[in-house]
Every structure is written in C-alpha cells, then in structure tokens.
Amino acid sequence: MPRLTMPRTLLLLAEVITFAVLAVVAVGHFGLQDGGGITAAFLVAYLVPCLLLSRACGTSTSARVVLLMLAILLIVVSYSNLLRWTQFEECTLQFPDLKSDARGFYKWALLHSGYAVDEAGVIFPGFPLMMVALWKVLGVSVVWPLAMNMMFTMISVVLTGMTTRRLLIGRVSVSHQSLLTGGMILTCLLLFYLMMGVSILKEPSTYLSVSMVGYALSSMAAVDDERHRLWRDIVLFVLGCALLALVRTTFLYFFAVGVVIMAVPHWRRDWMMALGMLAVALVALLVGDHFASYSFSRHAEIVSGGWNMQRFYVMTDSQKVYHDLLNYYFLYSSWHKALMLPLTMAVQFFIPFPWLISEEPVLANYICRITFGWYLLGGIALFYYLFMSWRRHENMGAWAWWPAVIYAIIAYVMAGSMARYVVPFQPLFVPVAMFVLCRLYEDNRWRKPFKCWAIGFILALVVVLAICYELQTSSISSMLNLRSLEDVMRDMLVMAEK
C-alpha cells in the first residue's frame, strides 16, 4: 500500500519549525513566562507519544509524519481555545472563561486546591483530581490539563495504530508499517473524537483507557506469532481499568463485554486470562463506584429506563422531531426497545450532524462538525458486517463484534441520542475498516461489490442528511416563532397590568 514518505532530516526540521513558531506566537500573546510554559507543555505532549511510536513494532517515518500533522492540528485548536478562554480582561490562564462541564471540572479542582469558589457537582472525580495533582507540581493554569488531554489523545491514536497492526498482521499481506500508519490515519479522520481531546473534559482520559484495554485485548484475537509479552498486556489492562474507574466508571461494563467476546473463540486457551481480567474489571468497578456519585442502582435505572430517563433525554429543541417519533421510548419494554434498534442505531450513526445551527461559532466547533471521516470509517466497517463477516475465510474473528455490541448497547440505552458516548469507542472500528481496505487491495473480487455499496451508501447518506437538515431547521424555526409569540403575549399582559 502507498505510504507517506519524508526524509528524517526534513521531519526533524518540520518539528523544530512547528515549536519555534508556537514559541514566538505564544510569547507574543501571553508573555515570556506563560508563553514559554505553553510551548514546553505542548512539546512534552508531543514527545511522549513520539517515544511510544518509536518503540512500536512497525514504526516508520510515515507514522511520524502522521503524528506530527496530528500534533499541528491539535496545537492550533488548543491555542485557539486558550485565546478564547482568556479574551476578557478578568480571565487569565489561571482563571479561564470555561463553559458547561469544563467549567464544573475546573471549579471542582480549584475548590480542592484551596481556592474559594462555588462548589461544583462532579459525578466522576478522576479528571479534576488529575488537575489538582498537576497544579500542586506546576501551579494553577488551564494549560497543564489541556496539554495532558492533548497527549492522551495522541497516545490513543498511536495505540489504535498499534492495535490495528497487531490484529491484522498474519491475516492480510500488507506490511507492519502500512498497517500501523494506516490505522493512525483512519483514526485521525475522526475529527469529533480529536476535538473532544483538546478540551477540559474527561473524554481524553476515557480515550486513553479504551485504547490501552483495546491493545491488551487484541492479544486474545491476534495470530499466534503476536501473542507475546503477556505481562505487558495485563499491565495495560489493569492501568486502563484503573483510569476508567475514576473518570467514567460505567464504561467498565464494556470492558467486561470485550473480555467475554475475545475469550469465547478460544476459551480453553484464554479462560484463565479472561477470568483474571474480569476480576480486575470488577474490582475497578467497585472502587470507581465508591468515588462516583452514581450508585449501582443508578446504573440499573439507566439501563432499564423509566421516568427519570424520559424527563432528561431527547428533550432539546433540535431533538423535537425525534422526540415525537420515539414517544415514550424510555418507558417501553426491553423487547420494544430492542425492535427499535435499527432506528436508534441509525440516528446514533448520523449525529452530530455536519452543520452548525445554534452552537458557538468557534474553530473547534466547526472542525467537530466535519463528521464525514466517521461516515467514511463507519461505511467501510458496515461493508464488513454486511458482506464479509459471515464468510468463514474472509473475516477477522471476534474482535469486530466488540465495538458493534458496544455501539448497539449505547443506542439501546440512550435511544441513539447521545453519540458522544460512542465517540471513545469509534477507534475500535478502525481495525475493521482497515481489514476491508486491505482485502480490497489484495483481492479484485471484492472491488465491484464495494463500489456498488459505496455508491448506494453515499446516496443514502446525502438523502438522510438533507432530510435531517430540513427537519431540524424547520423544528428550531417553529420553536423560535413559538417563543416570539410567547414574548408578545407576556408583553401584552405586562402592559395590561400597568
């Protein structure tokens, strides 16, 4: 397969120029001390995944080029965020202007660092605890957790490439280098995934835990030559579970599902390893539940549905059409919700839509909405599930069913309305899509069916997005008109009282 090529000297020069430009711009905006801190933090965030990549089997200059291009994108967006968070006079790198969940995490960390701020409720305390730890060493600044999240995201991209190589080597004839680089490139197409990684949120920590556990579990699905370094896989699994226990405890159930799926094909060989991993996941779940605001009863309520779920989900103005279609989804029986999976999974696939209507028009939000990379990756993976997975000698084994089951469970529980919950697991589809691309490269007989599928998929995508855009804009317009009418009536009542 074709690879990106660049002499190592030119690559090193590009890296030096990148961070030299960052240093000049950052010092010009924030002064010598803060600008130097930004440059140093972003440099460390880049060097750590570089070190991991340099030690990976199948590493190449091409993979380094991909990582540098990814770093440049994340640096540009991260720096843009820093400017936006400090654009008002009273806002600084120490006390930035954050919104929504990011504001809550930051206030919680400030409170537990000795600052007098209003208490903010945090369900999973792991991410703000990491902020507190960073501040004790480096001082209070939004730069450090931002750089940490950037580093976690880039490490996750590298680990996804490593997992792709590990799973597919021996199943396809493509080289180690091409599989690693190709896996990284496909992951970089997930722009919503990447943009969540340059925010003050817990998602990048979730990315890292999922990628570590994914690489560890790939040992159970890899060919025999790749089943080595068992202790490294166990350590990665333990670390991934420990991290996830603190940042999003409820996702540990998906790790347990993955262990079971990976162990079933060779249960005589893997049952001891599987039992050990399940025990680790259970302990992590118990520890995480101790620190989290959610209890096990709340977990059960989320899965089973009920009035609490009905009141809080699929309730925004932009979801009105979907709400009317679902009706009382969260009160339906399990079988009823299971029968609606084709609808909920389809909705989950298409959102977030590739347009901005009511969100803040900033760089990160615009890039978030370039979701065609996910559509491309998902469309290729769908070809595998529909046409290749059921053929005995044309499938990649149990691995492909782990992300598919996770995807279906989240759609079932959340009615397909919270695609953000699926985002950390989207890279698990990368090996599946890469397998399809390799088979297309190796075997001519798959090219014609894939072309037909691609044409049909693109046409369906265009039609669905056009319909959704029309429905969403008309729904929001009608809601705005209704609000305008309510304002007029309210003003009339006030005048009448006077």
Side-chain angles (χ1 to χ4, degrees):
M1 295 183 73
R3 292 182 290 167
L4 296 173
T5 58
M6 176 186 289
R8 292 191 176 184
T9 304
L10 288 179
L11 175 61
L12 179 60
L13 180 62
E15 292 172 334
V16 171
I17 291 174
T18 296
F19 286 96
V21 171
L22 172 63
V24 171
V25 174
V27 170
H29 274 132
F30 294 99
L32 183 60
Q33 182 176 353
D34 287 338
I38 292 170
T39 305
F42 287 3
L43 178 60
V44 172
Y46 172 67
L47 290 178
V48 173
C50 270
L51 178 62
L52 174 64
L53 183 59
S54 68
R55 297 176 62 87
C57 180
T59 188
S60 64
T61 306
S62 302
R64 284 284 302 278
V65 171
V66 174
L67 185 60
L68 177 60
M69 294 171 66
L70 170 62
I72 292 172
L73 172 65
L74 298 186
I75 287 171
V76 169
V77 178
S78 297
Y79 192 81
S80 171
N81 286 338
L82 289 177
L83 292 177
R84 180 164 53 91
W85 296 338
T86 58
Q87 63 183 329
F88 301 111
E89 289 185 4
E90 69 275 11
C91 297
T92 62
L93 292 175
Q94 289 72 36
F95 302 100
D97 179 33
L98 300 174
K99 307 294 185 185
S100 192
D101 290 348
R103 181 181 181 86
F105 286 131
Y106 205 84
K107 287 177 64 177
W108 192 97
L110 285 174
L111 180 65
H112 289 79
S113 296
Y115 288 84
V117 296
D118 297 335
E119 187 169 0
V122 171
I123 296 174
F124 305 109
F127 174 58
L129 279 174
M130 286 189 277
M131 277 199 281
V132 173
L134 285 172
W135 291 348
K136 285 187 178 297
V137 178
L138 302 171
V140 174
S141 173
V142 72
V143 173
W144 319 132
L146 180 62
M148 180 186 70
N149 281 353
M150 205 165 74
M151 179 181 70
F152 286 174
T153 302
M154 286 191 280
I155 291 175
S156 301
V157 172
V158 173
L159 281 172
T160 301
M162 293 169 60
T163 302
T164 303
R165 184 209 64 82
R166 194 182 202 190
L167 283 169
L168 299 189
I169 204 69
R171 290 188 167 95
V172 296
S173 60
V174 179
S175 68
H176 293 255
Q177 291 81 5
S178 295
L179 290 174
L180 174 61
T181 305
M184 291 176 61
I185 291 174
L186 288 179
T187 311
C188 290
L189 296 178
L190 303 173
L191 293 180
F192 189 80
Y193 176 91
L194 298 181
M195 291 304 100
M196 296 285 280
V198 288
S199 57
I200 306 301
L201 296 172
K202 60 181 177 293
E203 268 67 22
S205 303
T206 308
Y207 296 169
L208 181 59
S209 62
V210 170
S211 62
M212 287 194 294
V213 168
Y215 184 80
L217 289 183
S218 68
S219 66
M220 302 170 72
V223 296
D224 291 339
D225 291 342
E226 288 294 313
R227 289 180 51 79
H228 59 288
R229 298 181 181 177
L230 180 63
W231 286 108
R232 182 181 66 179
D233 296 326
I234 293 174
V235 169
L236 278 177
F237 186 86
V238 171
L239 290 176
C241 287
L243 178 60
L244 193 65
L246 295 177
V247 298
R248 193 180 278 280
T249 311
T250 48
F251 278 9
L252 282 165
Y253 294 111
F254 298 130
F255 288 176
V257 170
V259 171
V260 173
I261 290 176
M262 293 299 109
V264 165
H266 304 285
W267 66 271
R268 292 181 183 275
R269 182 192 68 187
D270 295 329
W271 70 270
M272 288 188 64
M273 185 177 179
L275 285 179
M277 286 180 166
L278 288 174
V280 169
L282 177 60
V283 171
L285 186 62
L286 293 173
V287 172
D289 183 69
H290 175 74
F291 290 102
S293 298
Y294 281 176
S295 62
F296 284 111
S297 59
R298 175 59 176 159
H299 298 179
E301 182 183 9
I302 291 173
V303 174
S304 61
W307 278 109
N308 280 338
M309 297 289 288
Q310 186 69 32
R311 286 201 305 268
F312 294 119
Y313 291 95
V314 200
M315 293 301 293
T316 63
D317 293 345
S318 60
Q319 294 175 314
K320 185 180 184 305
V321 175
Y322 189 47
H323 175 270
D324 295 341
L325 184 63
L326 288 177
N327 203 358
Y328 292 98
Y329 176 88
F330 296 101
L331 303 181
Y332 292 155
S333 67
S334 300
W335 281 108
H336 194 159
K337 288 190 283 189
L339 290 174
M340 295 185 71
L341 271 176
L343 171 64
T344 55
M345 291 174 69
V347 170
Q348 188 169 264
F349 180 88
F350 285 102
I351 58 176
F353 295 120
W355 55 76
L356 276 175
I357 293 181
S358 57
E359 294 183 35
E360 188 179 2
V362 298
L363 178 62
N365 285 344
Y366 280 118
I367 298 178
C368 268
R369 293 295 179 161
I370 305 175
T371 51
F372 299 106
W374 163 243
Y375 297 154
L376 173 65
L377 178 67
I380 296 173
L382 272 174
F383 179 82
Y384 171 84
Y385 291 113
L386 294 176
F387 301 102
M388 300 178 71
S389 62
W390 49 275
R391 296 178 183 271
R392 179 174 297 180
H393 301 294
E394 290 288 352
N395 66 74
M396 57 176 295
W399 172 272
W401 298 108
W402 180 31
V405 169
I406 293 174
Y407 187 93
I409 291 173
I410 295 176
Y412 171 90
V413 173
M414 308 307 301
S417 65
M418 297 296 290
R420 182 165 61 94
Y421 292 168
V422 185
V423 169
F425 301 101
Q426 285 179 348
L428 297 180
F429 288 101
V430 166
V432 182
M434 192 65 185
F435 178 78
V436 174
L437 294 177
C438 290
R439 295 301 295 136
L440 290 173
Y441 174 74
E442 296 168 343
D443 195 340
N444 290 334
R445 68 191 180 93
W446 285 112
R447 294 179 184 178
K448 185 175 180 180
F450 183 79
K451 287 179 182 178
C452 296
W453 162 255
I455 293 171
F457 177 79
I458 292 172
L459 290 175
L461 182 68
V462 171
V463 170
V464 169
L465 290 179
I467 294 173
C468 290
Y469 181 79
E470 179 63 28
L471 290 174
Q472 190 177 21
T473 52
S474 62
S475 174
I476 292 177
S477 176
S478 62
M479 292 298 296
L480 291 175
N481 291 336
L482 180 60
R483 286 179 178 175
S484 299
L485 180 60
E486 290 175 349
D487 292 339
V488 171
M489 295 295 293
R490 190 180 300 110
D491 292 341
M492 292 177 63
L493 289 173
V494 170
M495 293 177 62
E497 290 176 357
K498 291 181 177 180

